[in-house]
Amino acid sequence: MVKPINKIIDLRSDTVTTPTEQMRVAISNAIVGDDVFGEDPTVYRLERTAADLFGKEAALFVASGTMANQIAVMTMCSRGDQIIVHDQSHIYNLEVGGLASTCGVQPRSIPAPDGQFDLSRLGREIFHADIQRSPTTLICLENTFDLNRGLVISPKNIREVAIVARSHSIKTFLDGARIFNAAVALGCSVADFCEEVDAIATCLSKGLACPVGSLLMGTVGFVAEARRMRQRLGGGWRQAGILAAAGIVALEEMVQRLAEDHYNARLLAEGLIQLGFDVDLRQVQSNIVHVGLNSIGMGADIFCAHLLELGIKTKVIAQQEIRMVTHKDVSSADIKTTLDAVRMCLDKKIE
Ligand SMILES: *Cc1c(COP(=O)(O)O)cnc(C)c1O
């Protein structure tokens, strides 16, 4: 008999998190104004709080991580410029070709399996303008790295890349969609990652549980131009304080608890290893568990479909690979329930 499902446990992504009660109260009480006129006090407060937290002069509240990334590149590069990206990065793979179509830049992708560029190779990949070459003007970094693994990149590595960039007079941008996870994992502040980079983006709508929103930080001049680029993309929003109110709660209340998600990811990973799955514990560094099914001998589609029947949602990333992401709506008890369900799916294979 199929057990009735009491609750869906959604491990596909931390973007599925719903706003907290405190966010809902903040949203309903938010004082708002027209943000395109620069008159929304709640947006202003969020941007000020974020700039201080990241140790940058200014911040811009935008609709999504994708928009933040695109605006950053539009602001820092000219059409035809080359930019260096990780071959597995979000900005290169998952933004609908925006680098080419919206920004008009030429991405030069470099492999970096653990998320860290080889510094000597990086130097060789930087082009200087001549009659035939377009100059490299930007290096893009990502932390946590690889949305299917969540690897934590150290402030030291980021600093080293930024120093190489500066020695060639080019800029650096850090896509820190999950930078708060990286900071909590290392016990440092998000500003520690940003000292040398020119601009950084982060998402409020992932582990921090906001309904909508991302932030882009940099100098006053950068943010002023980024604000114009946001407008160009149709991203000027009016009483956005309704959304910013949740963002302030996220920055003030939701960061430290990410440690629980990391603990639960570890718990899940250890349980899966015991059940015979291919999980590299060294790579379980934040809230994402990359699970290989090779040793289980079941395809990802079938395995995920079985799990779904038991109320567990996971994300297929390849024929024999899935991803599980922990977040505030998944408790340690849910991890236990998930492992029980996984065990039942394995039994199904034997039947
Ligand atoms: C999620 C994510 C983005 C995009 O954020 P959206 O808000 O979904 O557009 C960009 N970069 C990385 C690394 C991400 O994980």
Side-chain angles (χ1 to χ4, degrees), residues 169-184:
S169 306
I170 67 178
K171 297 206 153 103
T172 42
F173 167 62
L174 174 57
D175 174 359
R178 294 191 177 87
I179 195 76
F180 288 103
N181 293 87
V184 166

Side-chain angles (χ1 to χ4, degrees), residues 64-67 69 90 95 142 144 147 175 177-178 203 205-206 214:
S64 68
T66 301
M67 185 184 265
N69 285 352
H90 193 286
E95 302 192 358
E142 188 176 295
T144 59
L147 80 167
D175 174 359
R178 294 191 177 87
C203 285
S205 60
K206 290 187 168 165
S214 281

